[in-house]
Amino acid sequence: MKKILITGGAGFIGSHVVRLFVNKYPKYQIYNLDALTYAGNLFNLKDVENSPNYHFIKADIVDGEKMMQLFGQYEFDSVIHLAAESHVDRSITNPMEFIMTNIVGTVNLLNAANHHWKSDFEGKRFYHISTDEVYGSLGATGFFTESTSYDPHSPYSASKASSDHLVRAYHDTYRLPMVISNCSNNYGPNQFPEKLIPLFINNIRNNKPLPVYGKGENIRDWLYVVDHARAIDVIFHKGSDGQTYNIGGHNEWTNIDLIKLMCKVMDEKLIRAEGTSEKLISYVKDRAGHDLRYAIDSTKLQRELGWIPSLQFEEGIRLTIDWYLNNQVWLDEVTSGNYLKYYEKQYEER
Ligand code: NAD
Ligand code: TYD
């Protein structure tokens, strides 16, 4: 029987990972540790919260003593570490929160795991969830592979790169069993509406402007969040110790093409005349240090561990739009209060 600590399980990707593990592995005990920042929402896990193998711990990974104590108390044998500050724009306005959670928080977990596991590493695993943004920005051609040099540009990606290096350092120095994956942009249900896709769905729904950074020519490689959770399941169980796996679905879109597709689907769903939502597009000042293109080569994961994405993008984006339109209470809840103040500040200078 495994006792798995999943950090950040109340967030977007974490909630899908928790759901998959709780339902698929009834014999595992799943401990969701989350500080419930603005991005954490236990409502995301309503359907599993009463499962006998699910437990919630409200705690902050920046609190090193607490992490040490919890590892002693619960005797976790594995960690799937997703807790992070995750939004690039917030990292530009407030880098220190990213340094604290993404770097210091990760080291606190590494210290606690190493301290409690070092007498016997057998059956232990520290799985660190990371991003393709650590590799920096691509030109028009090429892909990120596991051996691409790190070249982060935002405080967010630099803090994630730092945490990746530290996880590898604990493996090489102390032999801490670990694995890392670096995934491309995720989309799907339960994503906080500060990221492009849910923000724009919400704005179209409310007839608000769609703030496109620069010319909208930047390219992102989008993966449905449930396919990311499936990859995490495979890597957790079958990944080789000390290895890194890239996760992505070869699904590149310029922002402007993606936004126009969303406008078209939203016009259909909201029964608006074709072209109505596109009129909301508003070109605004570009993001500082805006990476031009991300694109993942996930051959290693596909060839060695047999993972392939299950959903085509056209299907995934329709499912996603349907989810937000069918869960308007969720959207209204998370966009009220503090988030509105953030939103006003974020866009006031643009
Ligand atoms: P998210 O912002 O939706 O969720 C982060 C979660 O971490 C929230 O529940 C939040 O409450 C929690 N958290 C934040 N600070 C904490 C702290 N100090 N202590 C405990 N909990 C804390 O993020 P997400 O998009 O779900 O991303 C999850 C992970 O996946 C992150 O590590 C991110 O870097 C990585 N990732 C994200 C994407 C993406 O497209 N969203 C792509 C690749 C990798
Ligand atoms: P985002 O969802 O923030 O993910 P990331 O920056 O981690 O890739 O942004 C995706 C792309 O959309 C990125 O190129 C920035 C752009 N973008 C906008 O043009 N306008 C917006 O309001 C937001 C939030 C993002």
Side-chain angles (χ1 to χ4, degrees), residues 87-89 133 185 194-196 199-200 211-213 218 220 222 255 287 290 294 347:
H87 188 41
V88 173
D89 292 325
E133 303 192 23
N185 286 62
E194 62 184 351
K195 307 276 168 64
L196 179 73
L199 175 69
F200 278 33
V212 179
Y213 297 167
N218 304 69
R220 296 293 182 264
W222 294 94
N255 290 340
R287 173 187 278 171
H290 197 172
Y294 303 144
Y347 291 101

PDB file of all heavy atoms in Angstrom, residues 87-89 133 185 194-196 199-200 211-213 218 220 222 255 287 290 294 347, ligand 2:
ATOM      1  N   HIS A  87       1.776  31.397 -12.590  1.00  0.00           N
ATOM      2  CA  HIS A  87       1.394  32.321 -13.670  1.00  0.00           C
ATOM      3  C   HIS A  87       2.510  33.328 -13.980  1.00  0.00           C
ATOM      4  O   HIS A  87       2.919  34.107 -13.113  1.00  0.00           O
ATOM      5  CB  HIS A  87       0.104  33.049 -13.279  1.00  0.00           C
ATOM      6  CG  HIS A  87      -0.478  33.871 -14.399  1.00  0.00           C
ATOM      7  ND1 HIS A  87      -0.515  33.432 -15.701  1.00  0.00           N
ATOM      8  CD2 HIS A  87      -1.034  35.101 -14.418  1.00  0.00           C
ATOM      9  CE1 HIS A  87      -1.074  34.357 -16.468  1.00  0.00           C
ATOM     10  NE2 HIS A  87      -1.390  35.381 -15.704  1.00  0.00           N
ATOM     11  N   VAL A  88       2.970  33.308 -15.226  1.00  0.00           N
ATOM     12  CA  VAL A  88       4.111  34.133 -15.654  1.00  0.00           C
ATOM     13  C   VAL A  88       3.881  35.619 -15.335  1.00  0.00           C
ATOM     14  O   VAL A  88       4.768  36.296 -14.806  1.00  0.00           O
ATOM     15  CB  VAL A  88       4.375  33.937 -17.168  1.00  0.00           C
ATOM     16  CG1 VAL A  88       5.441  34.908 -17.670  1.00  0.00           C
ATOM     17  CG2 VAL A  88       4.778  32.495 -17.462  1.00  0.00           C
ATOM     18  N   ASP A  89       2.689  36.145 -15.641  1.00  0.00           N
ATOM     19  CA  ASP A  89       2.447  37.580 -15.416  1.00  0.00           C
ATOM     20  C   ASP A  89       2.569  37.940 -13.934  1.00  0.00           C
ATOM     21  O   ASP A  89       3.108  38.991 -13.585  1.00  0.00           O
ATOM     22  CB  ASP A  89       1.064  37.978 -15.935  1.00  0.00           C
ATOM     23  CG  ASP A  89       0.985  37.908 -17.455  1.00  0.00           C
ATOM     24  OD1 ASP A  89       1.995  38.202 -18.113  1.00  0.00           O
ATOM     25  OD2 ASP A  89      -0.078  37.533 -17.982  1.00  0.00           O
ATOM     26  N   GLU A 133       8.814  25.519 -19.965  1.00  0.00           N
ATOM     27  CA  GLU A 133       9.295  26.903 -20.018  1.00  0.00           C
ATOM     28  C   GLU A 133      10.733  27.032 -19.517  1.00  0.00           C
ATOM     29  O   GLU A 133      11.401  28.030 -19.781  1.00  0.00           O
ATOM     30  CB  GLU A 133       8.336  27.831 -19.255  1.00  0.00           C
ATOM     31  CG  GLU A 133       6.937  27.727 -19.823  1.00  0.00           C
ATOM     32  CD  GLU A 133       5.960  28.791 -19.350  1.00  0.00           C
ATOM     33  OE1 GLU A 133       6.389  29.871 -18.932  1.00  0.00           O
ATOM     34  OE2 GLU A 133       4.741  28.521 -19.408  1.00  0.00           O
ATOM     35  N   ASN A 185       2.020  23.625 -22.306  1.00  0.00           N
ATOM     36  CA  ASN A 185       0.837  24.313 -21.757  1.00  0.00           C
ATOM     37  C   ASN A 185      -0.357  23.369 -21.661  1.00  0.00           C
ATOM     38  O   ASN A 185      -0.695  22.695 -22.634  1.00  0.00           O
ATOM     39  CB  ASN A 185       0.427  25.479 -22.668  1.00  0.00           C
ATOM     40  CG  ASN A 185       1.363  26.655 -22.555  1.00  0.00           C
ATOM     41  OD1 ASN A 185       2.540  26.553 -22.850  1.00  0.00           O
ATOM     42  ND2 ASN A 185       0.838  27.787 -22.122  1.00  0.00           N
ATOM     43  N   GLU A 194      -7.018  33.198 -15.197  1.00  0.00           N
ATOM     44  CA  GLU A 194      -5.976  34.205 -15.432  1.00  0.00           C
ATOM     45  C   GLU A 194      -5.127  33.735 -16.617  1.00  0.00           C
ATOM     46  O   GLU A 194      -4.477  34.526 -17.266  1.00  0.00           O
ATOM     47  CB  GLU A 194      -5.081  34.365 -14.201  1.00  0.00           C
ATOM     48  CG  GLU A 194      -4.329  33.072 -13.853  1.00  0.00           C
ATOM     49  CD  GLU A 194      -3.510  33.139 -12.587  1.00  0.00           C
ATOM     50  OE1 GLU A 194      -3.364  34.236 -12.017  1.00  0.00           O
ATOM     51  OE2 GLU A 194      -3.020  32.080 -12.151  1.00  0.00           O
ATOM     52  N   LYS A 195      -5.150  32.412 -16.880  1.00  0.00           N
ATOM     53  CA  LYS A 195      -4.409  31.847 -18.005  1.00  0.00           C
ATOM     54  C   LYS A 195      -5.259  32.044 -19.268  1.00  0.00           C
ATOM     55  O   LYS A 195      -6.493  32.155 -19.196  1.00  0.00           O
ATOM     56  CB  LYS A 195      -4.143  30.358 -17.777  1.00  0.00           C
ATOM     57  CG  LYS A 195      -3.464  30.037 -16.443  1.00  0.00           C
ATOM     58  CD  LYS A 195      -1.959  30.183 -16.487  1.00  0.00           C
ATOM     59  CE  LYS A 195      -1.311  30.146 -15.130  1.00  0.00           C
ATOM     60  NZ  LYS A 195      -1.431  28.925 -14.392  1.00  0.00           N
ATOM     61  N   LEU A 196      -4.585  32.018 -20.414  1.00  0.00           N
ATOM     62  CA  LEU A 196      -5.218  32.458 -21.667  1.00  0.00           C
ATOM     63  C   LEU A 196      -6.601  31.840 -21.937  1.00  0.00           C
ATOM     64  O   LEU A 196      -7.583  32.561 -22.152  1.00  0.00           O
ATOM     65  CB  LEU A 196      -4.282  32.148 -22.846  1.00  0.00           C
ATOM     66  CG  LEU A 196      -4.837  32.547 -24.211  1.00  0.00           C
ATOM     67  CD1 LEU A 196      -4.799  34.057 -24.386  1.00  0.00           C
ATOM     68  CD2 LEU A 196      -4.059  31.888 -25.340  1.00  0.00           C
ATOM     69  N   LEU A 199      -9.465  32.500 -19.268  1.00  0.00           N
ATOM     70  CA  LEU A 199      -9.683  33.953 -19.198  1.00  0.00           C
ATOM     71  C   LEU A 199     -10.499  34.422 -20.396  1.00  0.00           C
ATOM     72  O   LEU A 199     -11.472  35.174 -20.263  1.00  0.00           O
ATOM     73  CB  LEU A 199      -8.337  34.695 -19.161  1.00  0.00           C
ATOM     74  CG  LEU A 199      -8.420  36.225 -19.213  1.00  0.00           C
ATOM     75  CD1 LEU A 199      -9.014  36.779 -17.914  1.00  0.00           C
ATOM     76  CD2 LEU A 199      -7.054  36.858 -19.466  1.00  0.00           C
ATOM     77  N   PHE A 200     -10.124  33.927 -21.580  1.00  0.00           N
ATOM     78  CA  PHE A 200     -10.801  34.399 -22.790  1.00  0.00           C
ATOM     79  C   PHE A 200     -12.208  33.805 -22.892  1.00  0.00           C
ATOM     80  O   PHE A 200     -13.126  34.480 -23.360  1.00  0.00           O
ATOM     81  CB  PHE A 200      -9.945  34.098 -24.030  1.00  0.00           C
ATOM     82  CG  PHE A 200      -8.861  35.136 -24.249  1.00  0.00           C
ATOM     83  CD1 PHE A 200      -8.247  35.774 -23.175  1.00  0.00           C
ATOM     84  CD2 PHE A 200      -8.455  35.505 -25.525  1.00  0.00           C
ATOM     85  CE1 PHE A 200      -7.258  36.748 -23.357  1.00  0.00           C
ATOM     86  CE2 PHE A 200      -7.465  36.478 -25.727  1.00  0.00           C
ATOM     87  CZ  PHE A 200      -6.866  37.093 -24.638  1.00  0.00           C
ATOM     88  N   PRO A 211      -7.632  40.671 -24.278  1.00  0.00           N
ATOM     89  CA  PRO A 211      -6.330  41.345 -24.379  1.00  0.00           C
ATOM     90  C   PRO A 211      -5.241  40.448 -24.958  1.00  0.00           C
ATOM     91  O   PRO A 211      -4.653  39.627 -24.260  1.00  0.00           O
ATOM     92  CB  PRO A 211      -6.013  41.714 -22.918  1.00  0.00           C
ATOM     93  CG  PRO A 211      -6.768  40.716 -22.099  1.00  0.00           C
ATOM     94  CD  PRO A 211      -7.942  40.246 -22.900  1.00  0.00           C
ATOM     95  N   VAL A 212      -4.959  40.616 -26.256  1.00  0.00           N
ATOM     96  CA  VAL A 212      -3.928  39.814 -26.936  1.00  0.00           C
ATOM     97  C   VAL A 212      -2.590  40.530 -26.788  1.00  0.00           C
ATOM     98  O   VAL A 212      -2.457  41.687 -27.203  1.00  0.00           O
ATOM     99  CB  VAL A 212      -4.277  39.649 -28.436  1.00  0.00           C
ATOM    100  CG1 VAL A 212      -3.206  38.834 -29.140  1.00  0.00           C
ATOM    101  CG2 VAL A 212      -5.649  39.018 -28.595  1.00  0.00           C
ATOM    102  N   TYR A 213      -1.605  39.846 -26.213  1.00  0.00           N
ATOM    103  CA  TYR A 213      -0.287  40.470 -26.009  1.00  0.00           C
ATOM    104  C   TYR A 213       0.442  40.580 -27.345  1.00  0.00           C
ATOM    105  O   TYR A 213       0.528  39.594 -28.100  1.00  0.00           O
ATOM    106  CB  TYR A 213       0.575  39.646 -25.061  1.00  0.00           C
ATOM    107  CG  TYR A 213       0.034  39.504 -23.636  1.00  0.00           C
ATOM    108  CD1 TYR A 213       0.584  38.556 -22.774  1.00  0.00           C
ATOM    109  CD2 TYR A 213      -0.984  40.319 -23.156  1.00  0.00           C
ATOM    110  CE1 TYR A 213       0.123  38.416 -21.472  1.00  0.00           C
ATOM    111  CE2 TYR A 213      -1.461  40.183 -21.859  1.00  0.00           C
ATOM    112  CZ  TYR A 213      -0.908  39.229 -21.018  1.00  0.00           C
ATOM    113  OH  TYR A 213      -1.363  39.085 -19.743  1.00  0.00           O
ATOM    114  N   ASN A 218       2.885  34.637 -30.813  1.00  0.00           N
ATOM    115  CA  ASN A 218       3.600  33.637 -29.997  1.00  0.00           C
ATOM    116  C   ASN A 218       2.913  32.284 -30.120  1.00  0.00           C
ATOM    117  O   ASN A 218       1.693  32.206 -30.294  1.00  0.00           O
ATOM    118  CB  ASN A 218       3.618  34.093 -28.529  1.00  0.00           C
ATOM    119  CG  ASN A 218       4.235  35.464 -28.402  1.00  0.00           C
ATOM    120  OD1 ASN A 218       3.640  36.438 -28.852  1.00  0.00           O
ATOM    121  ND2 ASN A 218       5.412  35.540 -27.846  1.00  0.00           N
ATOM    122  N   ARG A 220       2.240  28.372 -28.620  1.00  0.00           N
ATOM    123  CA  ARG A 220       2.225  27.461 -27.472  1.00  0.00           C
ATOM    124  C   ARG A 220       1.767  26.094 -27.959  1.00  0.00           C
ATOM    125  O   ARG A 220       1.038  25.973 -28.947  1.00  0.00           O
ATOM    126  CB  ARG A 220       1.278  27.985 -26.371  1.00  0.00           C
ATOM    127  CG  ARG A 220       1.709  29.323 -25.755  1.00  0.00           C
ATOM    128  CD  ARG A 220       2.998  29.168 -24.975  1.00  0.00           C
ATOM    129  NE  ARG A 220       3.469  30.386 -24.319  1.00  0.00           N
ATOM    130  CZ  ARG A 220       4.377  31.224 -24.846  1.00  0.00           C
ATOM    131  NH1 ARG A 220       4.867  30.997 -26.064  1.00  0.00           N
ATOM    132  NH2 ARG A 220       4.792  32.282 -24.168  1.00  0.00           N
ATOM    133  N   TRP A 222      -0.322  22.975 -26.880  1.00  0.00           N
ATOM    134  CA  TRP A 222      -1.369  22.755 -25.871  1.00  0.00           C
ATOM    135  C   TRP A 222      -1.680  21.275 -25.662  1.00  0.00           C
ATOM    136  O   TRP A 222      -1.853  20.519 -26.626  1.00  0.00           O
ATOM    137  CB  TRP A 222      -2.650  23.487 -26.278  1.00  0.00           C
ATOM    138  CG  TRP A 222      -2.472  24.978 -26.272  1.00  0.00           C
ATOM    139  CD1 TRP A 222      -2.141  25.770 -27.347  1.00  0.00           C
ATOM    140  CD2 TRP A 222      -2.575  25.858 -25.146  1.00  0.00           C
ATOM    141  NE1 TRP A 222      -2.040  27.088 -26.948  1.00  0.00           N
ATOM    142  CE2 TRP A 222      -2.302  27.169 -25.612  1.00  0.00           C
ATOM    143  CE3 TRP A 222      -2.870  25.676 -23.788  1.00  0.00           C
ATOM    144  CZ2 TRP A 222      -2.312  28.285 -24.775  1.00  0.00           C
ATOM    145  CZ3 TRP A 222      -2.883  26.783 -22.957  1.00  0.00           C
ATOM    146  CH2 TRP A 222      -2.613  28.070 -23.445  1.00  0.00           C
ATOM    147  N   ASN A 255      -1.090  32.220 -30.797  1.00  0.00           N
ATOM    148  CA  ASN A 255      -2.160  32.687 -29.907  1.00  0.00           C
ATOM    149  C   ASN A 255      -3.357  33.200 -30.700  1.00  0.00           C
ATOM    150  O   ASN A 255      -4.503  32.895 -30.380  1.00  0.00           O
ATOM    151  CB  ASN A 255      -1.637  33.799 -28.992  1.00  0.00           C
ATOM    152  CG  ASN A 255      -0.661  33.265 -27.959  1.00  0.00           C
ATOM    153  OD1 ASN A 255      -0.640  32.062 -27.678  1.00  0.00           O
ATOM    154  ND2 ASN A 255       0.145  34.146 -27.385  1.00  0.00           N
ATOM    155  N   ARG A 287       3.870  41.183 -23.288  1.00  0.00           N
ATOM    156  CA  ARG A 287       4.446  40.746 -22.010  1.00  0.00           C
ATOM    157  C   ARG A 287       5.963  40.956 -22.052  1.00  0.00           C
ATOM    158  O   ARG A 287       6.589  40.663 -23.079  1.00  0.00           O
ATOM    159  CB  ARG A 287       4.107  39.267 -21.824  1.00  0.00           C
ATOM    160  CG  ARG A 287       4.743  38.603 -20.646  1.00  0.00           C
ATOM    161  CD  ARG A 287       4.491  37.106 -20.643  1.00  0.00           C
ATOM    162  NE  ARG A 287       3.208  36.744 -20.103  1.00  0.00           N
ATOM    163  CZ  ARG A 287       2.701  35.505 -20.158  1.00  0.00           C
ATOM    164  NH1 ARG A 287       3.379  34.538 -20.746  1.00  0.00           N
ATOM    165  NH2 ARG A 287       1.532  35.238 -19.627  1.00  0.00           N
ATOM    166  N   HIS A 290       8.614  38.034 -23.349  1.00  0.00           N
ATOM    167  CA  HIS A 290       7.631  37.049 -23.840  1.00  0.00           C
ATOM    168  C   HIS A 290       8.297  35.988 -24.731  1.00  0.00           C
ATOM    169  O   HIS A 290       8.773  36.309 -25.828  1.00  0.00           O
ATOM    170  CB  HIS A 290       6.556  37.807 -24.631  1.00  0.00           C
ATOM    171  CG  HIS A 290       5.304  37.045 -24.854  1.00  0.00           C
ATOM    172  ND1 HIS A 290       4.189  37.618 -25.402  1.00  0.00           N
ATOM    173  CD2 HIS A 290       4.966  35.766 -24.594  1.00  0.00           C
ATOM    174  CE1 HIS A 290       3.222  36.732 -25.484  1.00  0.00           C
ATOM    175  NE2 HIS A 290       3.683  35.583 -24.998  1.00  0.00           N
ATOM    176  N   TYR A 294       7.060  27.640 -27.788  1.00  0.00           N
ATOM    177  CA  TYR A 294       7.359  26.407 -27.059  1.00  0.00           C
ATOM    178  C   TYR A 294       6.867  25.237 -27.907  1.00  0.00           C
ATOM    179  O   TYR A 294       5.760  25.298 -28.470  1.00  0.00           O
ATOM    180  CB  TYR A 294       6.599  26.325 -25.726  1.00  0.00           C
ATOM    181  CG  TYR A 294       6.812  27.454 -24.750  1.00  0.00           C
ATOM    182  CD1 TYR A 294       5.751  27.912 -23.956  1.00  0.00           C
ATOM    183  CD2 TYR A 294       8.059  28.035 -24.562  1.00  0.00           C
ATOM    184  CE1 TYR A 294       5.926  28.913 -23.020  1.00  0.00           C
ATOM    185  CE2 TYR A 294       8.242  29.049 -23.630  1.00  0.00           C
ATOM    186  CZ  TYR A 294       7.170  29.491 -22.867  1.00  0.00           C
ATOM    187  OH  TYR A 294       7.336  30.481 -21.940  1.00  0.00           O
ATOM    188  N   TYR A 347      -4.218  44.649 -15.835  1.00  0.00           N
ATOM    189  CA  TYR A 347      -4.471  45.195 -17.161  1.00  0.00           C
ATOM    190  C   TYR A 347      -4.575  46.723 -17.194  1.00  0.00           C
ATOM    191  O   TYR A 347      -4.710  47.298 -18.271  1.00  0.00           O
ATOM    192  CB  TYR A 347      -5.718  44.545 -17.767  1.00  0.00           C
ATOM    193  CG  TYR A 347      -5.455  43.075 -18.089  1.00  0.00           C
ATOM    194  CD1 TYR A 347      -5.916  42.063 -17.255  1.00  0.00           C
ATOM    195  CD2 TYR A 347      -4.682  42.718 -19.188  1.00  0.00           C
ATOM    196  CE1 TYR A 347      -5.631  40.724 -17.516  1.00  0.00           C
ATOM    197  CE2 TYR A 347      -4.378  41.386 -19.464  1.00  0.00           C
ATOM    198  CZ  TYR A 347      -4.862  40.399 -18.633  1.00  0.00           C
ATOM    199  OH  TYR A 347      -4.555  39.091 -18.888  1.00  0.00           O
TER     200      TYR A 347
HETATM  201  P1  TYD B   2      -0.579  31.773 -20.408  1.00  0.00           P
HETATM  202  O1  TYD B   2      -1.881  31.054 -20.411  1.00  0.00           O
HETATM  203  O2  TYD B   2      -0.331  32.817 -19.371  1.00  0.00           O
HETATM  204  O3  TYD B   2       0.558  30.646 -20.386  1.00  0.00           O
HETATM  205  P2  TYD B   2       2.175  30.791 -20.553  1.00  0.00           P
HETATM  206  O4  TYD B   2       2.557  32.204 -20.536  1.00  0.00           O
HETATM  207  O5  TYD B   2       2.672  30.064 -19.342  1.00  0.00           O
HETATM  208  O6  TYD B   2       2.487  30.101 -21.836  1.00  0.00           O
HETATM  209  O7  TYD B   2      -0.393  32.464 -21.824  1.00  0.00           O
HETATM  210  C1  TYD B   2      -0.429  31.713 -23.019  1.00  0.00           C
HETATM  211  C2  TYD B   2      -0.078  32.659 -24.163  1.00  0.00           C
HETATM  212  O8  TYD B   2      -1.114  33.639 -24.289  1.00  0.00           O
HETATM  213  C3  TYD B   2       1.216  33.441 -23.938  1.00  0.00           C
HETATM  214  O9  TYD B   2       1.892  33.582 -25.174  1.00  0.00           O
HETATM  215  C4  TYD B   2       0.742  34.795 -23.441  1.00  0.00           C
HETATM  216  C5  TYD B   2      -0.602  34.977 -24.135  1.00  0.00           C
HETATM  217  N1  TYD B   2      -1.606  35.765 -23.382  1.00  0.00           N
HETATM  218  C6  TYD B   2      -2.247  36.845 -24.007  1.00  0.00           C
HETATM  219  O10 TYD B   2      -1.991  37.175 -25.183  1.00  0.00           O
HETATM  220  N2  TYD B   2      -3.168  37.555 -23.281  1.00  0.00           N
HETATM  221  C7  TYD B   2      -3.482  37.248 -21.989  1.00  0.00           C
HETATM  222  O11 TYD B   2      -4.334  37.941 -21.365  1.00  0.00           O
HETATM  223  C8  TYD B   2      -2.839  36.123 -21.373  1.00  0.00           C
HETATM  224  C9  TYD B   2      -3.131  35.734 -19.952  1.00  0.00           C
HETATM  225  C10 TYD B   2      -1.902  35.405 -22.119  1.00  0.00           C
END
